[in-house]
Amino acid sequence: MGLFGRRKTVFVDADILVIGGGMAGCGATYESRYWGRDLKIVCVEKANIERSGAVAQGLYAINCYMGMQWGENQPEDHVRYARNDLMGLVREDLGYDIARHVDSTVHKLEEWGLPIMRDPKTGRYQREGKWQIMIHGESYKPIVAEAARKAATEVYNRIMVTHLLMDAKQANRVAGAVGFNVRTGDFHVFRAKAVIVCAGGASHIFKPRSVGEGMGRTWYAPWSSASAYALPIQVGAKMTQMENRIVLTRFKDGYGPVGAYFLHLKTYTQNGYGEEYEKRWYEDTKALVGDYIDRHPVPTCLRNHAILREVAAGRGPIRMVTKEAFQDPHKETVGWENFLGMTIGQAVVWASQNIDPKHINPELTTSEPYVMGSHATCSGAWASGPEDYAPAEYQWGYNRMMTVDGLFGAGDTIGGTAHKFSSGSFTEGRIAGKAAVKYVKDMKNGQPQVSEQEYRDLEKLIYQPLENYRIGRNEIVAGTVSPSYLLPIHGLQRLEKIMDEYVGGISTNYMTNGVLLERGLELLAMLKEDMSHMGAEDLHSLQRTWELHHRLLASESVTHHTLFREETRWPGYYYRGDHMKLDDENWHCFTLSRYDRNTGKWEMEKAPVYHIVD
Ligand SMILES: Cc1cc2nc3c(=O)[nH]c(=O)nc-3n(C[C@H](O)[C@H](O)[C@H](O)COP(=O)(O)OP(=O)(O)OC[C@H]3O[C@@H](n4cnc5c(N)ncnc54)[C@H](O)[C@@H]3O)c2cc1C
């Protein structure tokens, strides 16, 4: 124990442990308290819930609101929309479940102080598009966090959770989690009856377009480090649709969002010569995906596809035509404010590059791929569905429980349910929280047991990189390259390069094939071997090290899934060069994986897609 003698071990007992206090985590914490008045509800967050997660900077729109009170949309409409956008493959039971509850979440947010814009004529919420409503959302996250703070028994900020703990007595049952305080270094052991993972999506898996001094400027939050996937994967939870990474068309260099521009400002795109180009690629796309190209709205991936083809044909760059809309002072204001409350970096990039969108049509580009379950893709854990709506095959207990007992998830964590966004993620957190309370209450005295051996072994493993650095550092007199250890930034860049070149990143124009994927897996395995030689010079580097572990495991999962699905289901997100067409006959299904931490092996299988909504 000498090595860790100065470090405290902090034990926390909880009924429900919520990991990650972003949108879903705050929803889970809030709702757990509503149903579990007498329970101990603990939320643990690696940053500070006040400003953490993908909504940290604020948002300008809530992208998932039905408007049922005004008869605008019904939950079934949203299921059809998400299914269409995902080229037919969504968990309709889970999507429906969110859609039927999401309006009540939005009404709560307004009650708690979130300013939602209203249409002066109708008095209804101001629509940006069919599903989006506009907000003054700079303080969106603090408002949501306040509700979670008041609901939680305790919130632990600045704790990076690295591993889940399993029940010593009953196989396949979760028992808690461990992590460390990124400021003090204290080791935390959380013992819990139910755990809800809400740890966000994954950026920096693929090499980003912004490198060097700009590498922190990615579209998805740079601190979304794949814990949402790695934590369940490590303990053998089944994952689904991990191949379904997302590529975003965004303003170049700042990743500024385009939704308000297209939907509210009614801007449109042109190629470098000022021509319309989407129609030109209609036949080409139809040959790949059949009549999915005729669906309305055109699936997001297929719009990317037209951009990629047009640029590859030598007619780039693609530009957003803003010059017309920006002549209207109201639209000009909306255009700028859209960034100021959400992606201020885009405004700074334009200022620094002499781009005034009133006079210059700004460039768009496609981003590097991200892995996430709440936006226009649906990677994540395979979860049990709602009792009243899910087909029997999708139900094995409690709503949003994964294939590990007592382990729940929400938001980016849960797979198969695209287009939840901020409001849907909070709503799914609420659904998971309610189900977790039921799980805990049903458990009575059979609570899980944590093994001291397990968490002490993990403690040693977690802090080892500090020790590797302390000893290895003596072998070099300057610089960062050591014969004995690998720094997290080196490992991260190696991971991003492998994923980029072998698994369909920007440098191959999102193209991969079976041969590349097999080689990618070999290189990922070599990186995994080297992970025991990570060196961390301080607690910050230690956090980076564990983020890298999580990103690496999620990347392995993405690669296995991409290899397994022998078709190109989402052209514009990625291409299997050896299976260039969508193949509904063989692949109108979900892909599932399960990782065995004892053998390091992955098992893949297919699961049926049930179309519940006509
Ligand atoms: C640029 C951008 C623009 C967007 N625009 C919109 C929009 O206009 N409208 C809209 O409705 N939605 C929008 N979204 C989507 C929305 O932000 C997400 O859908 C939502 O935040 C997902 O919720 P979540 O709880 O799953 O993840 P997050 O909100 O990201 O929360 C995850 C939390 O987990 C924490 N965490 C991660 N790892 C660990 C760990 N190991 N231990 C402890 N804590 C951990 C993180 O710090 C974070 O607080 C946007 C997202 C981005 C990135």
Side-chain angles (χ1 to χ4, degrees), residues 85 87 209 243-249 284-285 288-289 298-309 365-370 376-377 504-506 508-512 567-576 580 582:
D85 199 50
M87 309 290 281
R209 287 209 186 266
E243 70 279 22
N244 180 216
R245 73 293 292 274
I246 189 168
V247 169
L248 291 302
T249 297
D284 168 88
T285 314
L288 295 180
V289 300
V298 175
T300 312
C301 60
L302 300 184
R303 293 205 305 268
N304 285 353
H305 176 68
I307 290 178
L308 294 173
R309 300 291 286 146
T365 195
T366 50
S367 73
E368 63 280 1
Y370 300 89
T377 45
I506 48 174
T508 62
N509 245 341
Y510 312 102
M511 181 65 76
T512 184
E567 64 160 352
T568 299
R569 167 75 36 180
W570 306 277
Y573 287 167
Y574 76 94
Y575 303 84
R576 277 285 305 250
M580 273 301 278
L582 180 144

Side-chain angles (χ1 to χ4, degrees), residues 19-25 44-47 52-55 59-64 141 159-161 198-201 219-221 223-225 227 231 342-343 374-375 410-413 421-423 425 550:
I19 301 177
M23 287 308 291
V44 52
E45 160 62 48
K46 76 172 172 180
S52 69
V55 181
L59 293 179
Y60 202 66
I62 285 178
N63 283 353
C64 183
K141 188 64 210 305
I159 313 283
M160 159 115 199
V161 173
C198 302
W219 169 74
Y220 213 54
W223 47 84
S224 292
S225 53
S227 302
L231 293 172
M342 156 161 74
T343 316
S374 73
H375 212 272
D412 281 333
T413 308
F421 296 101
S422 61
S423 48
S425 296
H550 289 179

Side-chain angles (χ1 to χ4, degrees), residues 472-507:
R473 188 67 186 83
N474 298 319
E475 293 173 357
I476 54 172
V477 288
T480 55
V481 179
S482 153
S484 307
Y485 59 73
L486 197 66
L487 293 180
I489 185 69
H490 300 147
L492 181 68
Q493 288 172 345
R494 192 164 139 196
L495 171 70
E496 291 176 344
K497 182 171 155 64
I498 297 168
M499 294 300 286
D500 181 54
E501 293 176 351
Y502 292 90
V503 192
I506 48 174
S507 65

Side-chain angles (χ1 to χ4, degrees), residues 208-462:
R209 287 209 186 266
S210 302
V211 291
E213 60 169 10
M215 76 170 281
R217 181 82 281 268
T218 53
W219 169 74
Y220 213 54
W223 47 84
S224 292
S225 53
S227 302
Y229 311 119
L231 293 172
I233 289 172
Q234 277 168 353
V235 296
K238 282 189 183 176
M239 305 303 284
T240 189
Q241 301 296 89
M242 292 297 282
E243 70 279 22
N244 180 216
R245 73 293 292 274
I246 189 168
V247 169
L248 291 302
T249 297
R250 289 292 180 265
F251 286 113
K252 188 164 178 299
D253 299 334
Y255 297 87
V258 295
Y261 279 70
F262 280 128
L263 298 169
H264 191 66
L265 308 186
K266 307 289 179 220
T267 57
Y268 54 95
T269 56
Q270 288 178 340
N271 71 10
Y273 299 95
E275 301 159 348
E276 198 285 328
Y277 59 91
E278 274 197 20
K279 286 198 190 83
R280 186 178 278 153
W281 296 106
Y282 174 81
E283 291 301 337
D284 168 88
T285 314
K286 190 151 185 135
L288 295 180
V289 300
D291 64 9
Y292 283 95
I293 184 63
D294 299 320
R295 310 273 172 95
H296 291 286
V298 175
T300 312
C301 60
L302 300 184
R303 293 205 305 268
N304 285 353
H305 176 68
I307 290 178
L308 294 173
R309 300 291 286 146
E310 187 67 7
V311 172
R315 288 186 290 268
I318 302 300
R319 292 182 193 277
M320 176 78 90
V321 181
T322 50
K323 284 200 280 192
E324 294 164 13
F326 272 58
Q327 299 312 315
D328 172 346
H330 166 71
K331 288 189 173 171
E332 185 183 14
T333 306
V334 171
W336 283 107
E337 282 184 356
N338 183 239
F339 296 146
L340 300 181
M342 156 161 74
T343 316
I344 201 163
Q346 187 64 57
V348 177
V349 167
W350 280 355
S352 70
Q353 295 182 350
N354 288 345
I355 296 171
D356 180 348
K358 198 172 181 174
H359 304 295
I360 295 174
N361 291 330
E363 282 176 54
L364 297 176
T365 195
T366 50
S367 73
E368 63 280 1
Y370 300 89
V371 180
M372 53 185 301
S374 73
H375 212 272
T377 45
C378 56
S379 311
W382 185 239
S384 186
E387 281 163 36
D388 63 332
Y389 204 71
E393 205 171 331
Y394 291 172
Q395 275 187 61
W396 50 89
Y398 299 82
N399 202 353
R400 266 45 175 209
M401 192 169 86
M402 304 181 201
T403 54
V404 171
D405 263 12
L407 183 59
F408 295 78
D412 281 333
T413 308
I414 294 296
T417 42
H419 292 276
K420 329 182 220 211
F421 296 101
S422 61
S423 48
S425 296
F426 189 92
T427 305
E428 196 172 41
R430 293 177 62 197
I431 294 169
K434 182 179 177 185
V437 168
K438 185 163 187 320
Y439 176 86
V440 168
K441 290 192 169 168
D442 288 350
M443 181 184 281
K444 300 197 175 76
N445 297 325
Q447 68 184 62
Q449 302 292 310
V450 167
S451 129
E452 182 170 0
Q453 181 74 44
E454 187 186 7
Y455 65 73
R456 286 298 170 208
D457 287 350
L458 285 171
E459 179 183 18
K460 198 161 182 329
L461 187 75
I462 291 166

Side-chain angles (χ1 to χ4, degrees), residues 16 18 26-41 104 108 111-112 147-148 150-153 196 426 429-438 441:
I16 295 179
V18 179
C26 288
T29 306
Y30 170 80
E31 195 76 11
S32 299
R33 169 60 66 225
Y34 182 86
W35 297 99
R37 297 274 153 189
D38 51 345
L39 297 187
K40 183 166 179 195
I41 294 146
S104 85
K108 273 190 192 304
E111 202 182 302
W112 295 340
K150 287 177 174 163
T153 312
I196 311 177
F426 189 92
R430 293 177 62 197
I431 294 169
K434 182 179 177 185
V437 168
K438 185 163 187 320
K441 290 192 169 168

